[in-house]
Amino acid sequence: MAVSGIKPGVPVILRELEPSSPFFKHGQSLRVIGRLEAYQAETGIAEISDGNVSLKIGTQHLINLIFCAGSLYQFIGELVIDFDTQDVLLQARVGRMVDGLDLNLYQQSLHLSRKLESYISSTSRSKRNLG
């Protein structure tokens, strides 16, 4: 069985994508959600936002996805950072419209999920140290 080099997209909130963030790494596989602000069919570049934070999305590899300004979209792909120009883009390999998703509830569940993962991780480390 062949092993794929594609990593799962780590769910992040757009405001977490800042240079000091552990998610802000060239090639990092991410899952993001935001409202479509603009789409340029000629370049295949979309721009999504969440509040006052925005991110460019490379959509060249997506087929059969209809872009509708103002709709909510989820993208999974790899972060591309041009350190010379400071341009940041998520090169999407998966995209879908997620209108109807409660973004606040999604962000709360992501926060709780991370808290639980952290607790489980620290608990298993403690058991290993005791054993």
Side-chain angles (χ1 to χ4, degrees):
M1 181 158 93
V3 177
S4 174
I6 298 175
K7 296 180 180 169
V10 176
V12 295
I13 299 167
L14 289 184
R15 69 178 167 267
E16 294 175 321
L17 286 178
E18 56 187 33
S20 63
S21 168
F23 305 113
F24 194 82
K25 296 178 195 159
H26 183 81
Q28 175 75 40
S29 187
L30 300 174
R31 181 179 358 151
V32 297
I33 294 179
R35 196 154 306 282
L36 184 68
E37 297 297 326
Y39 176 68
Q40 298 175 2
E42 310 82 42
T43 60
I45 302 293
E47 185 173 345
I48 62 170
S49 70
D50 180 9
N52 62 349
V53 180
S54 64
L55 178 65
K56 290 181 182 177
I57 308 290
T59 65
Q60 299 87 346
H61 303 299
L62 305 180
I63 56 172
N64 297 328
L65 183 60
I66 297 171
F67 292 96
C68 203
S71 285
L72 205 55
Y73 287 85
Q74 180 180 61
F75 295 99
I76 302 172
E78 283 63 46
L79 200 61
V80 177
I81 303 170
D82 185 331
F83 292 101
D84 294 331
T85 64
Q86 301 301 311
D87 282 340
V88 178
L89 173 117
L90 184 80
Q91 186 59 58
R93 57 185 148 86
V94 177
R96 65 182 179 152
M97 183 186 286
V98 291
D99 278 345
L101 177 75
D102 184 327
L103 199 50
N104 288 327
L105 190 56
Y106 174 82
Q107 291 173 354
Q108 288 175 24
S109 67
L110 179 56
H111 174 73
L112 289 171
S113 176
R114 287 180 181 167
K115 231 173 143 173
L116 178 62
E117 288 172 8
S118 176
Y119 173 76
I120 290 170
S121 177
S122 66
T123 303
S124 66
R125 277 195 306 269
S126 295
K127 286 182 180 179
R128 280 190 299 234
N129 290 338
L130 294 174

